[in-house]
Amino acid sequence: MTVSAFTPNEMMTIAASRALSNDDVCFVGIGAPSAACNVARLTHAPDITLIYESGTIGTAPDVLPLSIGDGELCETALTTVSVPEMFRYWLQGGRISIGFLGAAQLDRFGNINTTVIGDYHHPKVRLPGGGGAPEIATSCKEVFITMKQATRGMVEKIDFYTSFGHGDGGDHRKRLGIDTKGPTLLITDLALWKPDPESKEFTVVSMHPGVTREQVQETCGWRVRFAERVEETPPPTALELTTLRDLQARTEGAHSGKKGA
Amino acid sequence: MAKFQSLKEAVADNLRDGDTVAFEGFTHLIPHAAAHEVIRQGIKDLTLIRMTPDIIYDQLIGMGLAKKVVFSYAGNPGVGLLRRMRDAIENKWPRAIETVEHSHAAMANAYEAGAAGLPCAVFRGYRGAGLKEVNPAIKSVVCPFTGEELAAVPAHRPDVTFIHAQKASRRGDVLIEGIIGVQKEAVLAAKRAVVTVEEIVDDFNDLHPNLCVLPHWTVTSLVHVPGGAHPSYTHGYYSRDNASYLEWDKISADRDLFTQWMKANVLDVGPDVFASRVKGL
């Protein structure tokens, strides 16, 4: 396999998986975060603890779950606890090192909206809402966010604060009495972003192979800040790509939905 | 004391117009058969509580039986949006509904407080979250020992809770296995509880002592409905019918298609169809 042939989505998932380590206890959101966490587990972080909010602790699914409560998660977990216990003892109790979230709308300070587009009481589009995210964003020691870049999603101002990132930036979290780090990494299909240590504004620190600054700016609704030195993200290795593609092929086979298949 | 009944009797005896009702099951063990019986009986003006409203609440709302929904994630899990619920919120079809929106943590805590007989739940939550501004039921209290400000929400105290489980014993004790969600708390928080089960066994003498069991005297009505969670799943019995969840996205996208589907698959059939729906899953 030639390692140069990969899609931006694959690069995003693999770059996200690299940010996770063996010692992490990770609260996994469904979709892109789930793919990244399981690629990490199947490559460099075999002992990572993956937790889904349905109560499954230390799960190791063979295929990616379609929902947060698929049977596969429970069958492969070390233990499955009730949902109140999950949120009280494990999340609120401060036992999760990384919360991994996706976003419908995101601003430059890592605040996320998955609730409504438009006014809350008269929405243009009613989105599903927060689920576990409002507390994941504040109770996990730090938060990673992953999403595809688009001006519709990465906006100057979000319509609703479903989950709090760095608020207006600076020490806003501290002022609200939140002692966790909040968003520390944003992984998109084009780049890796980290918050500026002072302002907390997301700053591009690495661009994926072949990506230009113009592309990053064109697909982002705010004026993008680039770090003084912008690295190039190493391309996916053959092992990373094979692992991701195999996982996706198994997942597609399992969820293709034929009764009795 | 648990009474074994038909689904028709159990719903008619326990649920009334205007009641507050919870149907629980976190992706797993969702009591679809019970919700369909409520739809057939046309019990209306309901306040529906559920963490993830998903298909059953989309159906109850689309049939015009809900006046209010208390929830924390209104999505079709793994698929997308709830189109009937959106149509009710955005266009008031077939009627306007009131919504009370929480986070999962708040909902789970509210059930636990209900089960514990407390008036409210206290937890570290909603910090910086927009829901605090739009839901007047989210308040805060100050810890009398440390001074920390904590979130407070009212306890859930449903008139009726419906759940689906694997097994009941002949005495009416109930066993829940796998992803147990918030069902134990939802049953203990409610005035009356109706449980549908896959199977009825003689007794629970051989069970491991730490399993999730509801004693028979916490359950009002028990109904034997094999397949009663479909298209959700029952751990140890049948898998989730993911194709049905994907199909729902299309059915629910169109008012007429939805209405026809509900007539053919809910109004014109009975709970016995569920056993055949899970064959091969």
Side-chain angles (χ1 to χ4, degrees), chain A residues 53-54 66-71 82-83 87-88 92 120 126 128 131-132 135 138 160-161 164 177 255 257 259-260, chain B residues 26-27 72 74 78 81 86 90 101 103-104 109 112 123-128 130 179 181 233 240-243 277 280:
Chain A
E53 66 192 12
S54 52
L66 182 70
S67 83
I68 214 94
D70 276 18
S82 74
V83 167
F87 281 97
R88 287 179 72 81
Q92 178 181 264
Y120 181 81
R126 174 66 231 201
E135 281 75 24
T138 50
F160 191 86
Y161 278 61
F164 193 78
H255 300 323
K259 276 195 184 188
Chain B
F26 202 93
T27 305
S72 45
L81 305 164
R86 269 186 64 183
E90 293 170 13
E101 184 168 5
S103 66
H104 276 353
N109 276 284
E112 196 186 51
F123 63 107
R124 188 179 293 117
Y126 286 129
R127 293 180 295 178
I179 290 173
Y233 70 102
R240 191 171 191 263
D241 187 356
N242 287 323
R277 286 178 184 167

Side-chain angles (χ1 to χ4, degrees), chain B:
Chain B
M1 209 58 80
K3 205 187 211 179
F4 285 88
Q5 292 183 296
S6 70
L7 189 55
K8 199 173 173 179
E9 291 166 339
V11 168
D13 283 3
N14 287 291
L15 189 66
R16 285 145 215 156
D17 286 353
D19 271 357
T20 295
V21 55
F23 292 78
E24 276 300 346
F26 202 93
T27 305
H28 178 219
L29 292 174
I30 299 170
H32 274 265
H36 286 185
E37 184 58 36
V38 171
I39 291 169
R40 277 192 291 276
Q41 295 191 21
I43 302 171
K44 60 183 191 297
D45 296 327
L46 298 171
T47 293
L48 302 173
I49 307 177
R50 176 163 168 72
M51 292 182 68
T52 54
D54 66 36
I55 293 181
I56 52 173
Y57 280 21
D58 220 23
Q59 294 173 342
L60 286 156
I61 292 165
M63 296 300 279
L65 302 177
K67 75 166 181 216
K68 181 170 165 183
V69 183
V70 185
F71 71 101
S72 45
Y73 184 85
N76 179 348
V79 178
L81 305 164
L82 287 181
R83 301 187 185 282
R84 291 298 96 227
M85 182 164 171
R86 269 186 64 183
D87 204 11
I89 294 174
E90 293 170 13
N91 309 311
K92 304 180 169 47
W93 191 93
R95 61 171 286 182
I97 54 166
E98 190 187 334
T99 58
V100 177
E101 184 168 5
H102 281 291
S103 66
H104 276 353
M107 290 286 283
N109 276 284
Y111 276 122
E112 196 186 51
L118 290 171
C120 74
V122 174
F123 63 107
R124 188 179 293 117
Y126 286 129
R127 293 180 295 178
L131 281 178
K132 270 197 303 204
E133 319 298 326
V134 296
N135 178 353
I138 300 168
K139 299 203 184 297
S140 66
V141 293
V142 174
C143 168
F145 305 104
T146 64
E148 184 180 356
E149 190 179 311
L150 297 160
V153 294
H156 286 332
R157 302 304 298 265
D159 294 304
V160 190
T161 287
F162 287 91
I163 65 163
H164 186 74
Q166 275 91 350
K167 289 185 176 107
S169 70
R170 294 209 181 280
R171 194 168 65 171
D173 305 314
V174 171
L175 172 68
I176 310 168
E177 289 184 296
I179 290 173
I180 53 178
V182 73
Q183 286 97 303
K184 181 176 179 174
E185 290 78 7
V187 164
L188 296 181
K191 297 190 185 96
R192 300 179 293 280
V194 178
V195 184
T196 55
V197 294
E198 290 295 327
E199 197 180 350
I200 295 164
V201 298
D202 285 341
D203 57 57
F204 282 172
N205 293 344
D206 296 330
L207 292 188
H208 186 280
N210 301 116
L211 292 177
C212 184
V213 170
L214 290 166
H216 62 97
W217 45 271
T218 63
V219 175
T220 320
S221 294
L222 261 165
V223 188
H224 184 210
V225 188
H230 178 270
S232 171
Y233 70 102
T234 298
H235 187 106
Y237 289 79
Y238 48 91
S239 315
R240 191 171 191 263
D241 187 356
N242 287 323
S244 289
Y245 280 88
L246 292 167
E247 208 188 324
W248 184 252
D249 201 45
K250 296 194 195 96
I251 297 161
S252 61
D254 180 86
R255 290 174 185 173
D256 291 336
L257 191 58
F258 163 77
T259 307
Q260 286 161 25
W261 192 94
M262 291 302 291
K263 182 170 185 328
N265 295 282
V266 179
L267 297 177
D268 291 350
V269 298
D272 46 310
V273 299
F274 279 85
S276 63
R277 286 178 184 167
V278 301
K279 272 195 187 120
L281 284 171

Side-chain angles (χ1 to χ4, degrees), chain A residues 115-134:
Chain A
T115 304
V116 286
I117 304 295
D119 176 63
Y120 181 81
H121 295 286
H122 306 281
K124 217 167 4 162
V125 182
R126 174 66 231 201
L127 300 168

